[in-house]
Amino acid sequence: MAKIKVRVPGSSANMGPGFDSLGLALTIYNYIEVEETEQGLSIVISDAETKEFLPTDEKNLVYKSMKYLFEKAGHTPKGLKLTLTSEVPVTRGLGSSSACIIGGLVAANELSGRKFSPREIMTMATKIEGHSDNVCAAFLGGFTVSVFDKDEVFYYSHKINGDLKCLVLIPDYAVTTQKARNTLPGYYPKRDVAFNISHAALLVASMVSGNYDNLLCAIDDRVHEPYRKIFIDGYQKLYNKLRTYGSLGTFISGSGPTLASIIEADDAESFLEDIKEYTDKAFPTWSVKLLDIDNEGAKIIE
Ligand code: HSE
């Protein structure tokens, strides 16, 4: 019976001003192992923390994404066994649902004879997720820019050459994307729109050129962060600390509550030491991780 294992990176969406468009794939992974069986559905979730959040029946997002593609491909497996291992924490703003969706779609596409192109997979993933930023980063890796327009996804992935790292500060509480989206206004004043367009454009130029001098300014946002920072304990203090320690730019990762900070690889170890000294006292229950940028995206590893 056919068997496959896919590795998918977690991701940090928005990067400040790029709401629903920009993404950064990170070296924290979900592993999705799928085996076609004689009958039924079996879903095994290997870690206790994830078990709490992910259903092990037909409501499971990896399974639902696979079913979505199988139906389009006209492929009907007799049964399926899914074994899921998640490093990406759920409901923390690190793209865990997108990693599930991309993992399910990539595995299902492989099992049904690779009927769909990358663009078609991206479109399916965006329709399931509702926005393209995390799914694009999870699928392609690197720093990604995407646009979902008239039912089609347009995207670009820029690979980062190892000069940047991303420090993530992950609170021990959840904020659902739904809740974080519901706090946003329906309309914005022209000055905020102009602010975000100019900052997002400068951010893309900085990331793609590798000239990071403008990042600190570029990473500022007026579309979602001002409304979401209330969900993050000690946001302002942490933001200021990260800046004092030499961060190139700090932003709310996706819809939060994780905070992400871009740092130069050369300074990363001392930066981590400094910030750990502070968070160990101020936020002892949070998890602080120094991650690289994943440049590979979703990958079939077996
Ligand atoms: N762009 C989305 C949001 C990401 O900010 O709501 C959710 O992970």
Side-chain angles (χ1 to χ4, degrees):
M1 283 279 173
K3 193 174 173 176
I4 194 159
K5 189 168 179 180
V6 184
R7 187 189 81 172
V8 191
S11 53
S12 197
N14 302 328
M15 287 190 76
F19 183 69
D20 279 0
S21 174
L22 303 183
L24 196 61
L26 300 171
T27 51
I28 182 168
Y29 297 100
N30 278 3
Y31 297 85
I32 290 144
E33 204 173 327
V34 182
E35 196 178 342
E36 289 201 16
T37 57
E38 284 304 332
Q39 59 171 17
L41 172 66
S42 147
I43 302 180
V44 180
I45 295 178
S46 57
D47 53 303
E49 206 180 313
T50 311
K51 241 182 224 170
E52 245 186 78
F53 291 99
L54 295 186
T56 49
D57 57 16
E58 290 179 0
K59 291 195 223 78
N60 181 284
L61 191 53
V62 176
Y63 172 73
K64 284 206 300 197
S65 306
M66 294 188 75
K67 193 166 164 240
Y68 184 90
L69 187 142
F70 281 150
E71 276 167 11
K72 286 185 185 293
H75 181 78
T76 319
K78 287 192 215 152
L80 282 175
K81 179 178 177 194
L82 270 57
T83 308
L84 311 178
T85 310
S86 310
E87 288 174 7
V88 185
V90 182
T91 59
R92 297 295 194 278
L94 284 166
S96 105
S97 59
S98 290
C100 289
I101 293 166
I102 289 293
L105 291 176
V106 168
N109 194 40
E110 201 64 19
L111 291 173
S112 54
R114 291 191 201 160
K115 293 211 167 72
F116 299 103
S117 67
R119 183 178 294 277
E120 287 168 321
I121 292 181
M122 268 293 302
T123 303
M124 287 182 221
T126 303
K127 285 187 179 165
I128 299 170
E129 180 66 292
H131 41 88
S132 59
D133 45 4
N134 288 108
V135 290
C136 188
F139 190 37
L140 301 173
F143 163 68
T144 53
V145 183
S146 59
V147 171
F148 188 42
D149 187 16
K150 298 188 193 73
D151 249 24
E152 241 194 292
V153 187
F154 300 84
Y155 53 86
Y156 177 72
S157 158
H158 171 76
K159 309 302 174 198
I160 302 290
N161 68 14
D163 49 357
L164 292 183
K165 286 190 188 267
C166 185
L167 183 97
V168 288
L169 299 117
I170 312 171
D172 60 341
Y173 49 84
V175 174
T176 63
T177 300
Q178 194 58 45
K179 179 177 169 183
R181 288 182 88 83
N182 286 345
T183 57
L184 305 183
Y187 298 91
Y188 292 88
K190 193 160 64 188
R191 61 172 187 277
D192 289 351
V193 174
F195 182 96
N196 264 60
I197 291 172
S198 55
H199 283 68
L202 187 64
L203 178 54
V204 172
S206 302
M207 292 299 284
V208 172
S209 67
N211 175 351
Y212 304 124
D213 295 347
N214 288 325
L215 265 188
L216 198 58
C217 163
I219 237 159
D220 211 357
D221 166 72
R222 287 195 188 163
V223 163
H224 72 110
E225 298 209 1
Y227 308 95
R228 288 171 163 174
K229 60 187 181 192
I230 50 162
F231 298 126
I232 305 172
D233 296 341
Y235 168 88
Q236 202 55 52
K237 263 196 184 155
L238 271 169
Y239 183 93
N240 295 343
K241 280 269 173 226
L242 290 159
R243 189 167 173 169
T244 313
Y245 292 155
S247 161
L248 295 178
T250 296
F251 55 94
I252 297 176
S253 182
S255 55
T258 293
L259 271 182
S261 206
I262 302 292
I263 46 186
E264 268 172 310
D266 290 346
D267 303 335
E269 290 307 326
S270 62
F271 189 96
L272 178 66
E273 262 174 44
D274 290 343
I275 198 72
K276 280 282 284 173
E277 201 184 314
Y278 174 69
T279 53
D280 281 353
K281 284 188 204 120
F283 303 97
T285 52
W286 291 27
S287 157
V288 178
K289 290 182 196 294
L290 181 62
L291 302 173
D292 286 302
I293 316 306
D294 168 279
N295 279 326
E296 294 186 293
K299 189 174 170 189
I300 294 160
I301 53 172
E302 262 174 53

